[in-house]
Amino acid sequence: MSKNVNIDWANLGFDYIKTDLRYISRWKDGKWDEGQLVEDNMLTISEASTALHYGQQCFEGLKAYRTKEGKIQLFRPDRNANRMIDTCRRILMPEVSVEKFIDACIQVVKANEHFVPPYETGATLYLRPFVIGVGSNIGVKPAPEYIFSVFCIPVGPYFKGGMVPVNFNISEYDRAAPYGTGAAKVGGNYAGSLYPHELAAKKGFADCVYLDPATHTKIEEVGAANFFGITKDNKFVTPKSPSILPSVTKYSLLHIAKEYLKMEVEERDVFIDNLDEFKEAGACGTAAVITPIGGIEYKDKLHVFHSETEVGPVTKELYNTLYGIQRGDVEAPEGWIVEVK
């Protein structure tokens, strides 16, 4: 680490911390400029920007990890880059190429290297790439200009006292619409989830489970994360739907379950009435990797999976393997790790 930063690594949460430099690139006249690192963390945009009025914006989330040897590595940034391309296409924003996306992330990590937490802390450097529509435009149409930016913040380990299962209830609200933007990582999906989350939290749950919007019979997502279950005959199962966000973590776990743990894997419908088929369940995403699900309340009854207090053995092995790959302790599949040099 080249500079000393006054950070209590052991007590980091998931809060905004202004780091030294962030990357910014502007799209104008049909092309992106080269982009640059800047100190200013404030954006000045037109009051008529489409990002403010019509939700023409998207974002990604990924992490940089410091290994035991002191190297810094990104985990599957190409997957985030491709997902951002898909989102940009869906809401008519110019695509950011995979090369530009990864280069921007590497530049930001290198420029803020002293903010990458030490290996032994379990903390990481969280990267937030985003694209917003800007420029003076009040009509309901794509923006005349765009900004692509990446900033970073050091964040603490999600489970400070070790992984603990949490409970969820079923939301009567929909997270996405059939043929809507559920598979795109746009801010509107998250804005719409704030109220259902608050209702679940007031009842003592960690968050809520969203069912498919068409029939309300199938599990789609768990809060802002993807669902998975381990069946009693040891299969890794995760829901399949065109309105689920394609989680980088979920597809990594599918690969790990199949190739590392030698399990059968299935992407298929997961009916809420069939919770009994699972001996373990979890929610997965960038922030926590895996959040073990203790139980799901459905029809006023709490269905408990493995335990409300103990993490199931398969969930624990999946977590340890994936987290080990991310931190450089377990050999990664080819192409999963990009070293920041």
Side-chain angles (χ1 to χ4, degrees), residues 60-63 65 73-83 98 101-102 247-256 322 325-326 332-338:
E60 278 296 326
L62 66 159
K63 290 176 175 176
Y65 304 80
Q73 54 190 38
L74 295 170
F75 178 73
R76 307 194 78 181
D78 59 310
R79 295 290 298 220
N80 294 92
N82 279 301
R83 186 168 66 181
V98 173
F101 181 100
I102 295 176
S247 162
V248 177
T249 307
K250 178 183 80 174
Y251 284 109
S252 301
L253 288 172
L254 272 165
H255 181 90
I256 286 165
L322 180 51
I325 289 169
Q326 291 171 334
E334 192 175 345
W336 278 26
I337 298 299
V338 173

Side-chain angles (χ1 to χ4, degrees), residues 17 69 74 79 121-122 130-131 151 240 245 263 325 336:
I17 294 171
E69 299 76 36
L74 295 170
R79 295 290 298 220
T121 63
F130 63 93
V131 178
F151 66 89
K240 187 174 179 64
L245 184 75
M263 298 170 68
I325 289 169
W336 278 26

